[in-house]
């Protein structure tokens, strides 16, 4: 990875997106952004009430996140974003605004995710929405730039693996640029 590159650390609630994305950003000298900070108040109110967002709710949010990624990478910054990006369409919406974005799926068992959510305090996403997120999750496809990492490891091991995989993806892209 180099100047002007972006990584979206994705997954369901409880996967550790914010923790890992912040750690990756610190390790590579990048900027950490939490996509949750870009949600309009109406989205936060729905999630707080236990109502899953629909794609109409997500469209302006994803546009704002994608625009911020593009603005920062165009300025030469390395950007690491924590963003659920559960569906291919969500990732496509981000890529449409910030081409070349790489995605890291934090992958774990439903049991591990539920345990993590149960231990979390002060977050607007209730554990009751985990199942809806697991149902909505569309794994990365072979034509998408990205990789998956098992979250049953320590945070430091997960961070190291994400950095190594991102570096491998960036090196492969440099060797085989798109025409």
């Amino acid at each position: 990875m180099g100047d002007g590159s972006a990584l979206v650390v994705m997954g369901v609630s409880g996967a550790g997106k914010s923790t890992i994305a912040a750690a990756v950003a610190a390790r590579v000298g990048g900027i950490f952004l939490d996509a949750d900070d870009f949600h309009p108040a109406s989205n936060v109110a729905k999630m707080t009430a236990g109502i899953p967002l629909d794609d109409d709710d997500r469209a302006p949010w994803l546009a704002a996140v994608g625009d911020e990624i593009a603005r920062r990478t165009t300025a030469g910054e390395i950007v690491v974003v924590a963003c659920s990006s559960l569906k291919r369409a969500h990732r496509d919406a981000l890529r449409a605004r910030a081409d070349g974005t790489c995605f890291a799926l934090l992958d774990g068992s439903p049991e591990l995710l539920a345990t993590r959510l149960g231990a979390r305090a002060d977050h607007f996403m209730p554990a009751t929405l985990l199942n809806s997120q697991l149902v909505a999750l569309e794994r990365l496809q072979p034509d998408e730039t990205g990789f998956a990492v098992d979250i049953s490891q320590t945070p430091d091991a997960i961070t190291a693996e994400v950095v190594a995989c991102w570096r491998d993806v960036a090196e492969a892209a440099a060797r085989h640029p798109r025409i």
Side-chain angles (χ1 to χ4, degrees):
M1 76 223 76
D3 289 349
S5 59
L7 176 72
V8 172
V9 178
M10 60 173 281
V12 299
S13 192
K17 296 179 297 291
S18 296
T19 299
I20 300 303
V24 168
R27 197 166 286 188
V28 302
I31 302 297
F32 165 68
L33 299 174
D34 192 330
D36 285 348
D37 295 340
F38 293 81
H39 272 297
S42 58
N43 285 6
V44 174
K46 280 182 88 167
M47 289 184 285
T48 300
I51 302 167
L53 299 180
D54 60 30
D55 285 342
D56 289 339
D57 296 321
R58 287 185 187 96
W61 168 63
L62 290 167
V65 173
D67 287 346
E68 186 65 10
I69 293 169
R71 184 182 76 74
R72 289 179 175 268
T73 56
T74 299
E77 296 180 68
I78 298 171
V79 181
V80 184
V81 183
C83 182
S84 53
S85 304
L86 298 179
K87 294 183 179 180
R88 169 72 185 249
H90 304 161
R91 297 185 297 271
D92 288 346
L94 292 173
R95 277 190 293 266
R97 295 181 178 287
D99 189 38
T101 297
C102 183
F103 292 84
L105 170 62
L106 299 183
D107 200 15
S109 71
E111 297 78 17
L112 176 59
L113 293 161
T115 299
R116 286 182 174 190
L117 281 175
R120 216 160 65 169
D122 300 327
H123 194 272
F124 59 77
M125 182 66 148
T128 54
L129 291 183
L130 176 59
N131 191 54
S132 70
Q133 287 200 334
L134 290 169
V135 168
L137 176 62
E138 296 173 2
R139 298 190 169 281
L140 292 166
Q141 298 301 303
D143 65 326
E144 292 185 90
T145 301
F147 51 89
V149 174
D150 178 9
I151 62 165
S152 65
Q153 310 171 71
T154 66
D156 193 54
I158 296 166
T159 299
E161 186 173 342
V162 169
V163 170
C165 289
W166 188 19
R167 190 165 280 130
D168 289 347
V169 167
E171 288 172 1
R175 285 192 307 270
H176 306 294
R178 288 185 255 173
I179 298 174

